[in-house]
Amino acid sequence: MSYPYQITSLEAYRAEWRRSIDDPEGFWSDVAGHFTWRRRWDKVLSWNFTDPDVRWFEGARLNITENCLDRHLEERGDQPAILWEPNDPQDAPRVLTYRQLHFKVCQFAHVLHNNGVRKGDRVCIYMGMIPELAVAVLACARVGAIHSVIFGGFSAQSIADRLQDAHAEYVITCDGAFRGAKDIPLKSVIDDALVSCPFVKRTIVFTRTRTPVSMIKGRDVWWEDEIHKVESAGNPPFPAVEMDAEDPLFILYTSGSTGKPKGVVHSSAGYMVYTNYTFVNVFQYRPGEVHFCTADIGWITGHSYIVYGPLGAGATSLMFEGVPTWPDAGRFWDIVDKHRVNILYTAPTAIRSLMAYGLGPLQGRSLETLRVIGTVGEPINEEAWHWYDEHVGRRRCPIVDTWWQTETGGVMISNMAGVTPSKPSHATLPMPGVEPLLVDEAGREVVGNGVSGNLCIRSPWPSVIRTTYGDHERCRTNYFSTYPGLYFTGDGALRDENGYYRITGRVDDVLNVSGHRIGTAEVENAINMHAGVVESAVVGYPHDIKGQGIYAYVIMGELHGDEELTRRDIALTVSRVIGPIAKPDRIQFVTGLPKTRSGKIMRRILRKIAEGETQNLGDTTTLLDPGVVQDISKGRINR
Ligand code: WT7
């Protein structure tokens, strides 16, 4: 089987893109015709970006797991759906064929059902990168429950916030997770979170690390025991629950410019069609190939390009439990050779951190099976791009630089491997169905090529965010009100003389640290929770490996004792409140912050100082106390 909707030439790309914009309904109904539906749609698209209200394939009925599992059984039941590489390379890898994965998802769907989970219920999943995580996600989808996966690096407090926001009554977790040399006690973090979430009725715990856990009677059950019950009942199949095209499939929390993460909601049909379409086209997937996306399923990249996109396309998806640098910095390359990986999809931060180890770890690794390599999550600098091209792709693999967001569900701007041209540091051209435009501060469209502006999208693609959970107004103000009638991405971009896009980074108060999205306001709130802190301001600064580092300016009530110890306490506070991923890299104690007369912090100045600029700080005349800038600039931290 190959894919009737796979584009294989530049001319075809141009024609398909044109048609997708001129006739989106015709275009997407043709693509959607290749999926399994219980009932076809009445209307392909109705929308406005004012409310916003977007409905794709209205009236259609389906279950995404029938498309990701059942429909492949006949033709590729014995083909690996998931290849799993454990944290420890000495341990045995696991293979789940489509038949086995289907079986496990049905079993666990029974477990969910037996424990009271029903269509529309919210289920929080907090697990390490093991096949059971994919099983849990798909089983939720099969029973029609809305999953909310939380990355294992988030703290108990962050989990509690998310559980409360989604009012999730069910939690699926593990005793612990292995990541590199560390064991992460997941269940114990969940226990701390649940202290403030008495509405949680059931926790299902999978055994991975066999670390001691406290199992609370009436609330906590073991995954394995629950599976035994289904086995005793003879493992009946689990008929997938029929969903409406627009029924929510999942919630995924992400950071914005306010202190509170928002629950991005994706719906069933549009997300299914778009992730599959982009998977097949961006990577030019060929049946039988092994696709290795190194992201965690706790992020959108893992949802779309480990689970739903690849499985929808009947692909073999490789899942890796560990980290790129353990037991050594050759781990990715070993995995590529061991599992004969054809497509490698990773983040620029991973590439930069591996670059720092030199070429040693690449020696003796053949990498001959690689055909396509890709990046996602942040702008890739030219140096890293060329290193990836030369030493990983060995100059024979196209690099796809894929720009997209949690809110877009799938890749929006990217070259298609070997089909459309690539250009270092450029995401290049929009996917069919995507019409990007640049606007200036006043909201006027910037036309022509060789220009820059704020990146917006003109009309809906099938996997556009539908709402922010429990607060539709927030969705409207965040994405659809800055430039009325347009979706605003929060990114700045250039469009070069050929019309290729280069994404330059966020223009709002959102940081991108090692490909993780973190709001400055969230970090400030966390810092301000530390007992001695009066006020703080957080900005990003260029970081060789992380892309951006977190720089915090902190005013203390009184600073007694060792500054260095206080810095550590503040960092630990942030770690407890948000998670280790949000720990500031640099903390500078200051006596004042540059504020305008109306009390607004001038972040532009703080950003410049953090970047090392001490001379041209721009206009400081509107500051309440311009003197504060000199003091801050003198005390700048640079290590
Ligand atoms: C932000 C979205 C999409 C999955 C991972 C991140 C930045 C993403 C690129 C790229 C330049 C990129 C943007 C975007 N970003 N991909 N190829 N080139 N920047 O998802 O956490 O929702 O973050 O990541 O700034 O807005 P996310």
Side-chain angles (χ1 to χ4, degrees), residues 254-255 299-302 305 345 348 375-380 400-408 410-411 413 425-427 489-492 502-508 510-512 515-518:
T254 190
S255 297
W299 309 108
I300 190 68
T301 310
Y305 300 108
Y345 188 32
T375 70
V376 60
E378 45 174 323
I380 179 162
V400 288
D401 177 350
T402 65
W403 173 83
W404 56 297
Q405 312 177 295
T406 304
E407 294 84 348
T408 71
V411 173
I413 302 183
S425 276
H426 288 66
T489 64
D491 281 316
R502 174 185 196 151
I503 315 304
T504 45
R506 306 287 308 195
V507 294
D508 52 9
V510 172
L511 305 181
N512 193 326
H516 302 323
R517 189 160 148 186
I518 298 169

Side-chain angles (χ1 to χ4, degrees), residues 532-537 552-559 563 587-595 601 606 624-636:
V533 172
V534 174
E535 197 181 0
S536 63
Y553 299 91
V554 177
I555 305 177
M556 298 296 290
E558 55 196 292
L559 197 56
E563 279 201 7
I587 297 175
Q588 178 181 349
F589 295 113
V590 295
T591 50
L593 290 166
K595 287 191 182 169
I601 296 176
L606 294 176
L624 195 57
D625 171 15
V628 79
V629 175
Q630 261 54 53
D631 292 347
I632 296 178
S633 153
K634 269 189 238 124
R636 176 175 174 264

